Amino acid sequence: MGHTPVIIPIASGKGGVGKTFISVNLAYALANLGKKVILMDLDFGGANIHTCMGYSVAPDGIGNFLNQRNSKLSDYILSTGNRNLFFISGDAEMVGVANITAAQKKKLISQIFHLDADYVILDLGAGSSYNTVDFFILSSCGILVSMPELTSILNAYSLLKTSVFRRLFLEFKSIPEIKDLFNEQMKKGGENAWKVLDLLQMIKKVSPATYLKAVYFVREMSPKLIINMAHSPTDIEMGEKIRKITHSFLNIEMDYLGFLYRDKSVHESINKRQPLAVYQSQNHTYQSIAKIAYKIASLNKLQNTSHDFDDYEEILDEITDDLSSKISGYSELADENLISINDLISLVTNQEYENLMLKRENESLKQQLLQFGKKV
């Protein structure tokens, strides 16, 4: 083919939100638009896409590739019933797959970029672990799947926040002063280390030029959002509210791709080990996914990114533990119906004490960023 495929990582802040279901059926929908699609199961340690494809046991796939020295990722591509769609299994039961090394990660990412396809969809694990985040930031077309409930939303926000921090660290770790700044922030631990706008201002004090690049890289991130298992029109509105929160506190422009209602046909298709695209292609849920696929295929600005990953994972481990403890407390409030979207905004505000300092500088930065973007 000769061109690099568009990478579409699909992630969620927590499990059980329908991420794999959407990954599989979105892959079918893009294939039905005439695109060559490769679906990869990158839920390390919890791979299950093969069950959606009718396999009772996972065929050879990612685990074999990672553990065999001279293997090629393309050797593990399997056909499906759709001539445009292929998939690579995850080998959930193979020892060591859940904890891949930095070298294995580099090997895998390098070969993903060289796959012969229009789109490569990565079904990632749930949560904010470094394995999930490092693959999520490979593309500007990362998709977050969330349910319209507090814990799911907070976890999705946590994943985005972690992604911003990780992206900045990987971009600027070669600059000693900036790397020292990241290390110093992490010594504070927990919430104090996780104020994105505050971190950008600290970078500005160290190096104004690096600050401009940092703002550019953050704004270049353009994740997508799908709300799944909605009950009512109020749930649907949650997507737009999350988008606004992300813009205000992370300075990220998130695209709201759409929503899916709860649908018993989804569970029927899963129980029958058939994608909804095959089991009931005229179903309204699958037709909604088909519309999302059309939106993605129509997007002009889809960019992949490449980073030099290293063993700096303790940053993400600490943050994941800290935020998980807070989210478990919020869950009790949600269960008792004592918290609303306005309360959520207040919670996020407390975590992000920064008062949108960059807003005051937007106009002056626009021209500088445009000029910098032309040079990059």
Side-chain angles (χ1 to χ4, degrees):
M1 248 172 76
H3 69 266
T4 302
V6 173
I7 311 299
I8 304 180
I10 301 182
S12 62
K14 61 177 289 188
V17 302
K19 171 182 55 62
T20 296
F21 163 78
I22 289 175
S23 297
V24 171
N25 285 281
L26 181 61
Y28 269 90
L30 284 169
N32 288 337
L33 290 175
K35 308 297 183 181
K36 184 175 180 181
V37 181
I38 297 176
L39 173 63
M40 289 183 61
D41 196 336
L42 289 188
D43 188 347
F44 299 106
N48 62 357
I49 279 182
H50 62 278
T51 63
C52 303
M53 299 297 186
Y55 289 81
S56 56
V57 178
D60 291 350
I62 299 297
N64 303 82
F65 166 73
L66 293 176
N67 287 288
Q68 294 181 15
R69 181 173 297 179
N70 297 317
S71 62
K72 294 181 180 179
L73 187 59
S74 57
D75 293 339
Y76 298 98
I77 296 175
L78 300 172
S79 300
T80 68
N82 187 308
R83 65 175 184 170
N84 293 325
L85 177 60
F86 305 84
F87 85 101
I88 300 175
S89 180
D91 293 354
E93 297 180 1
M94 180 164 283
V95 175
V97 174
N99 299 300
I100 66 172
T101 65
Q104 287 176 319
K105 190 184 301 182
K106 290 178 184 179
K107 173 185 174 183
L108 180 54
I109 289 172
S110 174
Q111 295 208 26
I112 287 173
F113 284 141
H114 288 90
L115 289 173
D116 181 11
D118 296 309
Y119 294 94
V120 176
I121 295 179
L122 310 179
D123 182 37
L124 305 179
S128 302
S129 72
Y130 57 86
N131 279 335
T132 295
V133 170
D134 283 350
F135 286 97
F136 187 74
I137 61 176
L138 287 181
S139 170
S140 67
C141 196
I143 296 176
L144 268 177
V145 179
S146 176
M147 291 172 59
E149 62 178 32
L150 183 70
T151 53
S152 181
I153 290 165
L154 284 171
N155 276 289
Y157 181 80
S158 170
L159 174 58
L160 280 179
K161 225 174 157 186
T162 304
S163 298
V164 173
F165 192 93
R166 183 68 166 168
R167 175 80 193 272
L168 291 177
F169 172 76
L170 291 172
E171 290 290 350
F172 303 118
K173 65 180 182 178
S174 61
I175 304 173
E177 296 84 0
I178 301 299
K179 186 171 183 177
D180 290 344
L181 175 60
F182 274 74
N183 287 327
E184 194 61 35
Q185 279 294 97
M186 286 317 302
K187 288 179 183 177
K188 299 178 180 179
E191 189 176 344
N192 289 332
W194 278 93
K195 299 172 178 62
V196 174
L197 297 177
D198 196 29
L199 180 61
L200 288 173
Q201 289 299 312
M202 291 180 182
I203 292 174
K204 184 177 182 180
K205 291 179 181 178
V206 173
S207 169
T210 302
Y211 165 73
L212 282 176
K213 292 179 182 179
V215 173
Y216 175 82
F217 285 128
V218 171
R219 292 185 178 178
E220 187 186 39
M221 297 176 71
S222 181
K224 322 301 175 190
L225 175 69
I226 296 176
I227 294 293
N228 192 26
M229 303 185 200
H231 284 285
S232 66
T234 303
D235 291 339
I236 297 166
E237 294 172 3
M238 189 73 74
E240 181 61 23
K241 291 176 180 177
I242 296 173
R243 192 191 68 79
K244 290 179 179 178
I245 291 171
T246 303
H247 172 73
S248 296
F249 295 103
L250 298 182
N251 211 34
I252 290 177
E253 295 294 342
M254 174 184 281
D255 294 330
Y256 183 19
L257 289 179
F259 65 92
L260 305 173
Y261 279 113
R262 284 188 178 271
D263 182 355
K264 65 178 183 180
S265 297
V266 170
H267 299 287
E268 292 172 2
S269 71
I270 293 172
N271 290 335
K272 291 182 178 291
R273 295 189 175 182
Q274 287 187 329
L276 191 60
V278 175
Y279 174 68
Q280 218 174 83
S281 62
Q282 297 305 311
N283 173 276
H284 66 86
T285 298
Y286 176 69
Q287 290 303 312
S288 296
I289 293 174
K291 291 178 182 177
I292 290 172
Y294 182 79
K295 286 182 182 179
I296 291 172
S298 301
L299 291 174
N300 293 320
K301 187 182 178 182
L302 295 178
Q303 299 178 352
N304 300 327
T305 61
S306 182
H307 303 288
D308 181 19
F309 298 103
D310 61 9
D311 298 317
Y312 201 71
E313 276 83 26
E314 65 272 11
I315 289 178
L316 303 179
D317 291 339
E318 180 177 347
I319 288 149
T320 300
D321 292 342
D322 179 73
L323 288 174
S324 295
S325 65
K326 293 183 179 182
I327 288 166
S328 63
Y330 298 153
S331 179
E332 295 178 3
L333 296 176
D335 291 341
E336 298 297 327
N337 295 319
L338 296 176
I339 197 162
S340 65
I341 186 62
N342 289 328
D343 297 317
L344 169 60
I345 294 173
S346 296
L347 288 168
V348 175
T349 302
N350 290 333
Q351 291 182 356
E352 304 282 352
Y353 74 93
E354 182 56 64
N355 189 23
L356 306 179
M357 293 183 293
L358 291 179
K359 288 283 187 180
R360 303 174 183 176
E361 303 179 45
N362 277 350
E363 291 304 317
S364 62
L365 276 175
K366 281 181 181 178
Q367 294 304 317
Q368 296 177 68
L369 289 172
L370 285 173
Q371 292 177 5
F372 175 77
K374 292 176 182 179
K375 296 178 181 177
V376 172

